Amino acid sequence: MSPPLIDVRDLHVYYGASHVLRGLSLHVAPGETVGLMGRNGMGKSTLIRTIMGLVRPRAGEINVDGRPMTGRPTFEIARRGIAYVPEGRGVLASLTVLENLEIAARPGLDGARAWDLPRVLELFPRLGQRRDNRGNQLSGGEQQMLAIARALLTNPRLLILDEATEGLAPLIRDEIWRTIRLVREAGIATLVVDKTVHEVTAVADRVVVLVKGEMAFEGPPEALTADPDLMHRHLGV
Amino acid sequence: MMAQLLNGLQYGLLLFLVSSGLTLIFGVMGIINLAHGSLFMIGAYVAFLVSKATGTLWLALPVGVLGGAALGALLEWTLFRHFAKREHLDQVMLTFALILLAEELRWVVAGSDFHSVPIPAILDFSVPVTSGFSYSAYRFAVIAICLVLALALFWWIERTRFGAVVRASAENPEMVDVLGLDARRVHLVVFAAGTALAVVAGVLAAPLTSVYPGMGDSLLIISFVVVVIGGLGSISGAFWAALLIGLVDTFGKAYGPSFQGTGALGTLLAALSGSSVYLLMIAVLLWRPTGLFGQRP
Ligand SMILES: Nc1ncnc2c1ncn2[C@@H]1O[C@H](COP(=O)(O)OP(=O)(O)O)[C@@H](O)[C@H]1O
Ligand SMILES: [Mg+2]
């Protein structure tokens, strides 16, 4: 069996004195869709930022394709085929829509350019209409589309989305969820952080719930939805 | 009057060559390079040495461009990249040490005398502009070369994919890493280009100002004024601010003293004319604290 795409083991992360991730382990297999849930401040974003090499763990290891990547620079981790759309989207305000897309475009690890400019513009026609606008002239929904389109242009094997639907109008949220399904069907693994429980459980192969930097639940989405007590305690629904 | 206008333009454009590198390097790497004025001085001494050795200035231009870029790449690779994440005080110490090193080097190679650098023979004449006024052909050439370089820089930063990555690095370096782009390469190229621009400015200025110890110091200070007025990290801001400063400084120094002896106000104006650029800076910062083209916080 091939090794997991990412395999995080026994991660401990501190911000100053506060112990934010407490021996957390997580893996994502190629092509797998994993939903990451938990209330605010439980460590979801920190986990993702640690995987991306943006936060240094005090202990634990991060493997990509079975190779140790702990402490490697972020751009090298990204180059292993991991695309990350951060909370707040990270759209570059001083660049046009087209420039935001162009600087990201590259072939995947397999050398193929399955996602190119025409394909992402077909996926999000709005972006084509706004191609010469600067990043700071876009609405929140357009920014999110741009951030996802830009991530896809790196031809990733894993797409990590941190609160991609937060603060968006219902119609745009639906569009984002449709895109996530499409990405999933294209065989790209996804790690989705979101608070919309019914959407996450509908799309994910596996769900992980964090509580105070520890794993409180891991399993198929049906097992989570079948346990109202767990849902209430850890997700507030 | 016409001569002062052209002098101001020419001075402003040279200032732009120096300050554009300063502002780019600050924008992308977060480092204020105090030794940027020394790079200008190095360019001027390169002009002096090359024209002494070959009898003409021309060879100094390619030497300045290529040597400047190589020097910049070397400095970034061996020193600056290791200081990009250090404290500001460490960066000040590093760049100040480089100033001392450059002065020491200048003393060893060329001593401490003033040296004049001859204007290239084919440009050593005056161009008649109007019936009563003609202007130095060499200064016209400097204006033209600076304009070409400024246009090339704009095109590179504003119209190419690499330029987009440079702007992205200045705005959000983390996102550049996340997209899988190697920021170290961006820093290397930006530092090399900024250094080459400052060195070339020194080469071009040498026949106009002579070469002398510490000649980069006052220019460095004026370049800071340009960068601050233009807005930290902004290329187009640096361009307009450099022209503004070039004109204000030239006119201030040319006409300020003539107010002398025209009453108390005149005496005050005459006394302040030498500091006109600093007064301009204070005025701009009071009006717009982030500079003319700076990002609003
Ligand atoms: N840069 C930071 N510095 C200090 N504390 C932080 C920082 N980022 C997050 N935290 C704290 O770490 C905890 C986990 O935050 P985060 O990973 O953002 O949680 P989540 O994404 O699940 O909402 C929270 O208590 C938060 O306040
Ligand atoms: Mg979060």
Side-chain angles (χ1 to χ4, degrees):
Chain A
M1 213 187 93
S2 61
L5 211 165
I6 51 170
D7 185 13
V8 171
R9 293 211 188 134
D10 202 24
L11 220 50
H12 288 267
V13 171
Y14 291 75
Y15 290 121
S18 77
H19 194 175
V20 176
L21 298 187
R22 301 162 176 262
L24 200 59
S25 299
L26 176 85
H27 64 93
V28 179
E32 190 185 21
T33 302
V34 176
L36 181 58
M37 293 190 281
R39 293 177 191 253
N40 273 338
M42 292 304 171
K44 306 180 295 295
S45 298
T46 301
L47 172 60
I48 290 170
R49 293 176 61 76
T50 311
I51 292 172
M52 290 310 295
L54 294 165
V55 173
R56 283 212 170 208
R58 188 168 299 181
E61 53 184 89
I62 298 152
N63 301 296
V64 178
D65 303 316
R67 282 194 236 174
M69 294 296 276
T70 325
R72 302 301 304 165
T74 298
F75 83 93
E76 276 183 22
I77 294 169
R79 291 234 154 214
R80 297 299 309 164
I82 301 178
Y84 160 52
V85 178
E87 232 173 336
R89 298 150 194 151
V91 164
L92 295 154
S94 56
L95 274 60
T96 65
V97 167
L98 206 56
E99 285 173 334
N100 264 283
L101 296 170
E102 278 169 352
I103 64 166
R106 66 164 180 268
L109 271 188
D110 58 358
R113 282 184 189 264
W115 298 90
D116 56 10
L117 196 60
R119 186 166 174 200
V120 297
L121 291 182
E122 194 187 341
L123 184 61
F124 298 116
R126 278 300 289 154
L127 297 180
Q129 293 157 19
R130 307 283 257 139
R131 58 198 295 151
D132 295 321
N133 287 98
R134 302 256 165 195
N136 55 5
Q137 299 168 319
L138 303 182
S139 70
E142 288 167 344
Q143 284 189 16
Q144 191 64 58
M145 290 175 201
L146 177 54
I148 294 176
R150 188 174 62 177
L152 288 173
L153 278 178
T154 67
N155 286 288
R157 297 179 303 150
L158 170 65
L159 177 63
I160 304 179
L161 298 172
D162 196 353
E163 313 271 13
T165 66
E166 196 178 38
L168 299 182
L171 272 175
I172 313 235
R173 286 170 167 249
D174 291 346
E175 186 162 351
I176 303 289
W177 285 112
R178 258 200 310 282
T179 310
I180 293 173
R181 287 200 175 78
L182 204 130
V183 166
R184 180 188 172 183
E185 278 150 28
I188 300 173
T190 44
L191 178 58
V192 182
V193 176
D194 209 280
K195 297 216 175 58
T196 334
V197 180
H198 71 276
E199 294 281 13
V200 177
T201 50
V203 74
D205 300 311
R206 184 156 54 90
V207 189
V208 170
V209 178
L210 294 193
V211 174
K212 294 192 177 135
E214 285 175 291
M215 199 176 271
F217 173 87
E218 178 182 20
E222 307 79 52
L224 178 70
T225 45
D227 191 340
D229 180 49
L230 192 84
M231 299 254 285
H232 181 72
R233 255 187 305 135
H234 298 321
L235 302 173
V237 290
Chain B
M1 180 74 185
M2 187 76 169
Q4 301 305 345
L5 198 68
L6 286 168
N7 281 344
L9 183 67
Q10 173 256 302
Y11 176 46
L13 285 168
L14 273 181
L15 263 182
F16 172 70
L17 295 194
V18 177
S19 14
S20 58
L22 199 61
T23 205
L24 263 183
I25 289 166
F26 176 79
V28 171
M29 302 178 70
I31 288 186
I32 293 174
N33 182 13
L34 296 179
H36 207 70
S38 303
L39 301 171
F40 173 83
M41 179 189 77
I42 288 173
Y45 275 88
V46 164
F48 164 64
L49 294 172
V50 167
S51 64
K52 204 170 88 171
T54 67
T56 171
L57 183 70
W58 293 121
L59 196 61
L61 269 181
V63 169
V65 173
L66 299 177
L71 174 67
L74 187 73
L75 286 173
E76 199 281 333
W77 189 55
T78 54
L79 293 172
F80 280 83
R81 72 172 45 178
H82 307 289
F83 280 76
K85 291 209 170 92
R86 300 271 287 265
E87 307 217 346
H88 281 304
L89 188 61
D90 293 348
Q91 299 173 356
V92 168
M93 305 267 261
L94 168 73
T95 56
F96 192 69
L98 287 174
I99 295 179
L100 300 179
L101 207 68
E103 286 295 333
E104 200 63 26
L105 194 70
R106 186 262 313 142
W107 186 77
V108 169
V109 173
S112 290
D113 295 334
F114 274 57
H115 299 284
S116 62
V117 176
I119 286 175
I122 60 162
L123 289 174
D124 199 3
F125 61 94
S126 288
V127 182
V129 179
T130 59
S131 55
F133 168 69
S134 55
Y135 192 69
S136 150
Y138 180 71
R139 284 182 188 264
F140 270 129
V142 169
I143 291 176
I145 293 172
C146 289
L147 280 174
V148 167
L149 287 174
L151 276 175
L153 188 63
F154 274 120
W155 177 80
W156 188 49
I157 297 293
E158 298 294 334
R159 293 281 177 273
T160 66
R161 182 177 185 268
F162 187 83
V165 178
V166 171
R167 279 176 282 138
S169 304
E171 180 188 330
N172 186 346
E174 184 176 298
M175 205 56 222
V176 170
D177 291 342
V178 163
L179 291 175
L181 300 163
D182 188 353
R184 291 173 305 187
R185 222 189 98 224
V186 179
H187 292 182
L188 187 80
V189 174
V190 165
F191 205 94
T195 303
L197 284 169
V199 170
V200 166
V203 171
L204 292 174
L208 301 173
T209 64
S210 306
V211 302
Y212 51 93
M215 65 182 290
D217 300 354
S218 58
L219 195 84
L220 176 75
I221 293 171
I222 298 289
S223 298
F224 276 131
V225 175
V226 168
V227 169
V228 169
I229 289 185
L232 291 173
S234 166
I235 286 285
S236 43
F239 183 78
W240 297 114
L243 288 190
L244 192 65
I245 294 278
L247 291 168
V248 166
D249 192 52
T250 305
F251 277 94
K253 288 194 173 122
Y255 296 111
S258 63
F259 289 108
Q260 192 73 46
T262 56
L265 185 65
T267 309
L268 183 69
L269 282 176
L272 289 178
S273 62
S275 328
S276 52
V277 299
Y278 305 105
L279 298 176
L280 181 68
M281 177 171 80
I282 292 168
V284 167
L285 291 185
L286 285 175
W287 173 47
R288 284 195 190 192
T290 55
L292 295 178
F293 286 71
Q295 299 289 335
R296 294 303 138 74

